[in-house]
Amino acid sequence: MKTIAIVGGGSGGVSAANHLAYKLKGEIKEGKVKLLLIEGSTRHYYQPGFLEIVFDLMTPQSTYKNEKRVLADGVTLTQEYASRIDLENRTITTEKQKIPYDYLVIATGASYDYGAVPGLKEGTHNFYSLDSSVDLKSVLNHFKSGKIVVGISSMPYKCTPAPLEAVFLLNDYFARRGIRDKVEIEYMYPMPMAFPDKGISDIALRMFKEKGIKSNLGFQLKTVDNEKHELVDVNGKRSSFDLAIIVPPHRGNKLIDNSGFGDKMGWVPVDPLTLNIKGHENAYAIGDATNLQVSKAGSVADAEAIVVSDRIIQSISGGDSVSVYDGSGGALMITGIGSASMITSSYTQKPVFMPESYSFYWIKLIYNNLYWNMTAKPVLNGVVQ
Ligand SMILES: Cc1cc2nc3c(=O)[nH]c(=O)nc-3n(C[C@H](O)[C@H](O)[C@H](O)COP(=O)(O)OP(=O)(O)OC[C@H]3O[C@@H](n4cnc5c(N)ncnc54)[C@H](O)[C@@H]3O)c2cc1C
């Protein structure tokens, strides 16, 4: 019997688990393959919904489901946190047991390092977790005038367009409340551009001009001075705020540090094409957990999940593992209430910004439903493939 262990049951982990369960249905039934998903949380989150909660486009309750409900038949869930992975001896240690594996997929995502910026936790808000979003929604509802800074503390972070979506939604939100002229909106970015790609940055800056949104580029946040209500960058430059909405610093999972194979930020070094952990043909990492220079996005995690699942299936059936990842990913980006674009890219294609439309906006709002039925798809698993 071959054991496939997936550590982390978020977007990428569940996509891989369900794809493997469908493709290896027979082998799992006959006892030739055991498919394990090791996930510590009982909740599976649809994270794009966190921003939508803030603007009443989604309810908090519709951003999550019980982990068990998103898994296809054939996946065995171990509801425990892994504390160490031993790549040499092919074992995973959890709170309660040691689990041997033949194939491994790491999908433990990114974590937030609030401690890296003194004052950040105490003095700022964000929309990068369910609780933070619910809290921000209530703060915004009471906000009547002043300066709001939407900023990114450091690169990389999840869903590169999300902070741009936030400023565009804030613009329309205050216009609808009839107080847009009393609110100053500023977008703060650590790079000298508004987005890592120059073409998309130019489009965003043009839209800022049209909508009266200010920008503060190349601002690398070091501390938050909560007495003076100022953000301070690495060169001592200061920016005042009445409300700061700051994407927290991201880094890899501490499991990766504890296991000794992460880079200095805790990301897992993988081959860009095969997604193999360097030097370990039977072990892969996908999604936000990797060190790849691609967007940390659910679409990327999903595309990578299909590639590693296919490679594992090819290996189990005795052939060569030939499927490779082409770097593709995409995100629907809201540009205001009632309009959105789609940005797509790959290793060989620079990001493309598709013309804004109501259709993209509509798809973004209903994507939650598509997600529960296509990525986290126990019901349609086997039908939509
Ligand atoms: C506000 C916001 C907006 C976004 N918008 C978009 C968008 O529009 N489009 C898009 O494509 N993407 C978007 N994303 C990004 C997307 O949600 C992530 O990129 C995606 O969830 C990554 O999937 P993952 O499987 O790598 O990690 P996650 O989905 O974060 O899953 C990681 C899982 O690992 C588990 N885990 C962690 N440590 C352990 C351990 N030690 N043992 C066991 N389990 C563990 C966690 O509990 C979690 O379930 C957005 C994200 C945010 C926050």
Side-chain angles (χ1 to χ4, degrees):
M1 155 131 55
K2 298 280 183 204
T3 300
I4 306 170
I6 300 168
V7 186
S11 246
V14 163
S15 178
N18 287 350
H19 190 73
L20 284 160
Y22 170 62
K23 290 273 170 89
L24 295 172
K25 209 184 292 173
E27 289 81 350
I28 293 170
K29 238 183 208 152
E30 289 163 20
K32 291 182 183 153
V33 169
K34 187 168 186 188
L35 180 55
L36 280 182
L37 179 72
I38 300 154
E39 167 58 62
S41 169
T42 52
R43 279 187 183 175
H44 181 102
Y45 290 101
Y46 172 71
Q47 298 178 33
F50 297 161
L51 175 62
E52 294 174 29
I53 288 170
V54 178
F55 298 97
D56 251 342
L57 300 171
M58 228 172 132
T59 62
Q61 294 73 19
S62 49
T63 60
Y64 59 86
K65 283 194 179 180
N66 189 294
E67 184 74 20
K68 285 184 192 147
R69 286 191 53 205
V70 301
L71 298 179
D73 286 349
V75 183
T76 304
L77 175 63
T78 300
Q79 196 95 71
E80 290 165 34
Y81 280 101
S83 53
R84 193 165 185 277
I85 295 172
D86 182 343
L87 293 175
E88 306 303 330
N89 295 303
R90 301 187 177 188
T91 52
I92 300 157
T93 306
T94 72
E95 300 141 326
K96 295 184 189 151
Q97 54 183 318
K98 245 192 179 119
I99 301 168
Y101 65 82
D102 298 290
Y103 297 95
L104 171 73
V105 180
I106 296 177
T108 43
S111 63
Y112 305 140
D113 185 10
Y114 286 96
V117 179
L120 186 72
K121 185 82 182 161
E122 303 78 25
T124 69
H125 295 266
N126 69 71
F127 50 89
Y128 267 65
S129 71
L130 179 58
D131 290 347
S132 310
S133 296
V134 170
D135 181 48
L136 175 59
K137 176 177 155 60
S138 135
V139 170
L140 272 185
N141 286 346
H142 293 97
F143 196 86
K144 293 195 175 76
S145 64
K147 179 178 169 190
I148 300 184
V149 177
V150 176
I152 292 87
S153 46
S154 58
M155 310 293 287
Y157 60 93
K158 287 190 250 194
C159 191
T160 327
L164 285 172
E165 294 184 287
V167 289
F168 296 139
L169 283 167
L170 281 171
N171 177 60
D172 285 2
Y173 167 81
F174 286 113
R176 284 194 169 187
R177 280 179 54 192
I179 54 169
R180 178 64 183 92
D181 57 334
K182 294 190 174 65
V183 180
E184 187 186 338
I185 302 173
E186 184 177 280
Y187 177 82
M188 185 192 99
Y189 211 64
M191 299 177 76
M193 305 187 284
F195 196 85
D197 174 74
K198 169 95 171 58
I200 307 278
S201 169
D202 288 347
I203 293 170
L205 292 174
R206 199 192 62 230
M207 289 164 76
F208 286 179
K209 217 172 184 181
E210 286 162 12
K211 296 172 191 278
I213 295 164
K214 298 193 171 141
S215 60
N216 179 9
L217 307 181
F219 192 96
Q220 294 175 41
L221 185 63
K222 190 173 175 205
T223 55
V224 181
D225 181 340
N226 286 314
E227 270 179 27
K228 293 189 175 154
H229 272 229
E230 286 176 347
L231 303 163
V232 187
D233 86 348
V234 289
N235 301 313
K237 201 173 135 197
R238 288 178 169 256
S239 171
S240 66
F241 66 86
D242 294 297
L243 170 61
I245 303 171
I246 307 292
V247 177
H250 284 40
R251 49 167 297 130
N253 196 287
K254 73 172 185 305
L255 164 69
I256 309 304
D257 286 338
N258 293 346
S259 304
F261 53 82
D263 66 13
K264 65 180 194 310
M265 292 296 290
W267 308 119
V268 184
V270 293
D271 182 286
L273 298 176
T274 65
L275 304 169
N276 273 123
I277 301 174
K278 301 221 160 117
H280 299 275
E281 275 203 359
N282 65 325
Y284 298 90
I286 58 172
D288 295 350
T290 78
N291 71 337
L292 292 182
Q293 301 290 309
V294 292
S295 186
K296 296 209 177 292
S299 55
V300 167
D302 195 32
E304 293 174 343
I306 307 294
V307 169
V308 301
S309 302
D310 286 348
R311 292 183 67 83
I312 291 171
I313 293 163
Q314 286 153 3
S315 167
I316 285 177
S317 60
D320 290 335
S321 296
V322 291
S323 294
V324 289
Y325 177 53
D326 64 359
S328 62
L332 288 157
M333 174 178 146
I334 294 179
T335 51
I337 293 176
S339 70
S341 166
M342 182 150 149
I343 299 177
T344 56
S345 62
S346 73
Y347 288 145
T348 52
Q349 178 210 304
K350 275 171 74 64
V352 174
F353 183 92
M354 301 198 185
E356 294 164 69
S357 72
Y358 182 77
S359 313
F360 281 140
Y361 181 75
W362 183 78
I363 296 169
K364 176 95 186 188
L365 294 195
I366 62 151
Y367 199 80
N368 178 31
N369 294 318
L370 296 178
Y371 178 80
W372 295 123
N373 290 302
M374 288 174 69
T375 302
K377 53 179 181 290
V379 180
L380 290 185
N381 182 19
V383 181
V384 184
Q385 286 286 337

